[in-house]
Amino acid sequence: MIGAAGTAAAVRAGRLTAAAATEQALADIAARDGRTNAFTAVTPERARAEAAAVDAAIAAGRDPGPLAGVPYAVKNLYDLAGLTTLAGSIIERDRPPAARDAFLVRRLHAAGAVCLGALNMDEYAYGFTTENHHYGPARNPHDPARMAGGSSGGSAAAVAAGLVPLTLGSDTNGSIRVPASLCGIFGLKPTYGRLSRGGSYLFAASFDHLGPFARDVADLALAYDALQGADAEDPAQQWRAVEPVSGVLDAGTAGLRIAVADGHFARNGHAEAFAAAEAVSRGLGTTARIEIPEAARGRAAAFLITMAEGGNLHLPDLRTRPDDFDPMTRDRFLAGALLPAHWLQQAQRVRAAYRAAVLKLFDEVDVILTPATPYVAPPIGQDMIEVDGERIPVRPNLGIYTQPISCIGLPAMAVPIADPAGIGAPHGLPIGVQVIAAPWREDVLFRVAGALERAGIVAAPTPAR
Amino acid sequence: MSTEFSAEAYAKAAAAAIRLPLDARHLPGVAFNLALAARMAAVIEGMPLGPADEAAPVFVAGREPPR
């Protein structure tokens, strides 16, 4: 399938109609999504109407937008007008359909993109695997017996399988970066407060971020540029001017101080995770190492705050219909509702102190590299895994490297190793590296990703069909 | 008095305090997750904090909406 930039260029130049691009994508989803279970709803009527409007704009000589005719889909916690927002649950199935699109969906619509449907996820975004008991697991396109990652598993699987070139997800503790790594694609978690979350189903609001997935850096940049914009309805959004990144992809990394994270980020994983970070640092010509202070405490703080915010959010349903929750999330939400106030307040104070300590690092470096996940995609249903000589639960550990970063809202991008077999990844399965920058410096992430892509070090591996 | 954390006993008492009916079938899973949370709480307990270390969320009385 051609990418977002290629599709938009062809549609804008009149070489392809948005209607034809849409029909092709709809046919592809119908034929192939059974393998990945990425979609929970396909919206052909909406897609055909949006595509017709793009083609009509071109026929009338109007600018159809930078994403003209580009098929995309969204995690099913984004509001799509006329569709009930499930957030991966059956509880929400009883609610009325959304009255209007989420803010970011409105942004993509205004840019000419065509929405094809809603995507699978962990219930209420509380998980790293998308082994959803209600709607079935999202399957990894590189091996359908393995996890796609989560909680935005459908968003990553749909892009990795080539069903759509662009999707949106959410990331509270790693839910964009983890599935991007396991499925071998690019995923961006912008700075906390950058993109509006208006019209999305929250999970733990003080950590909730939204962002895009794509198969290459140019497509990710195109999407990110279109998604920016101020929304008075998101109380956490910082109403900054739009800062486009599509123009910096070729800027190179000259002048950037880059280091690989040590300590917490050099433990807790398998050899392929560290080999991936090493391959990227070698490609960027750096041997510098840096310690992110108190990362384990930052992760613990995020763990507790997430539990408490999630438990509080769902308390009315936990009181009246606990058996309608996914067994994978229910007991965690119940426990989260019960946490002592001291644990939560201590976590919030640790979070602030940890943030202050980490922000000082950016006096010394501009970019920090860590593995994105501690291992390649585990088989669906696997409960335990051996790490550093110890048997530990496989699922929570998937967020070991992402959780300390979203805890303090730093912008981060998961970039996929182009040749996973070449770095020794088991079965040649995909794995990604997390690229981290100072707050509001998404441009730096895109410069680094662009340079790595040009050097052939990162790229989305193609799954066998 | 013992300060050892009994997750099951705590779960029952705290659930009653917030009017959360806790089914006996769910209690082992809830206790497991509370015990895990207790381990995380022990990790952050050791952070050196002083009276000036405020919590991360800072209340804002109001702000100008975007134009």
Side-chain angles (χ1 to χ4, degrees), chain A residues 230 234-235 237 239 297 300 303-304 319 323 330-332 334-335 337-340 342-343 346-349 351-353, chain B residues 10 15 18-19 25-26 29-30 33 36-38 40-41 43-47 49-50 53-57 63-66:
Chain A
D234 182 348
Q237 193 186 27
W239 297 316
R297 285 188 172 129
F303 189 99
L304 292 166
R319 282 188 177 124
D323 284 319
R330 181 191 52 231
D331 295 349
R332 284 183 289 158
L334 284 167
L338 302 175
L339 297 193
H342 164 67
W343 291 359
Q346 178 78 359
Q348 292 288 14
R349 292 173 71 205
R351 184 185 186 193
Chain B
Y10 173 81
I18 62 167
R19 294 180 296 107
R25 291 173 297 122
H26 303 153
V30 173
N33 281 289
L36 185 58
M40 294 293 177
V43 171
I44 58 169
E45 201 67 51
M47 184 91 164
L49 296 173
D53 283 304
E54 292 194 35
R63 53 182 187 155
E64 289 288 319

Side-chain angles (χ1 to χ4, degrees), chain A residues 345-416:
Chain A
Q345 184 65 2
Q346 178 78 359
Q348 292 288 14
R349 292 173 71 205
V350 166
R351 184 185 186 193
Y354 165 58
R355 173 184 55 193
V358 175
L359 289 182
K360 282 186 191 153
L361 296 183
F362 293 106
D363 293 338
E364 299 168 43
V365 296
D366 302 298
V367 178
I368 302 173
L369 306 171
T370 79
T373 50
Y375 23 76
V376 297
I380 290 168
Q382 181 174 328
D383 291 321
M384 305 294 284
I385 196 164
E386 187 164 323
V387 175
D388 296 341
E390 200 184 336
R391 295 275 293 167
I392 60 169
V394 70
R395 296 182 182 90
N397 197 57
L398 277 165
I400 189 90
Y401 303 132
T402 52
Q403 206 161 7
I405 306 308
S406 32
C407 175
I408 48 174
L410 301 179
M413 187 190 296
V415 297

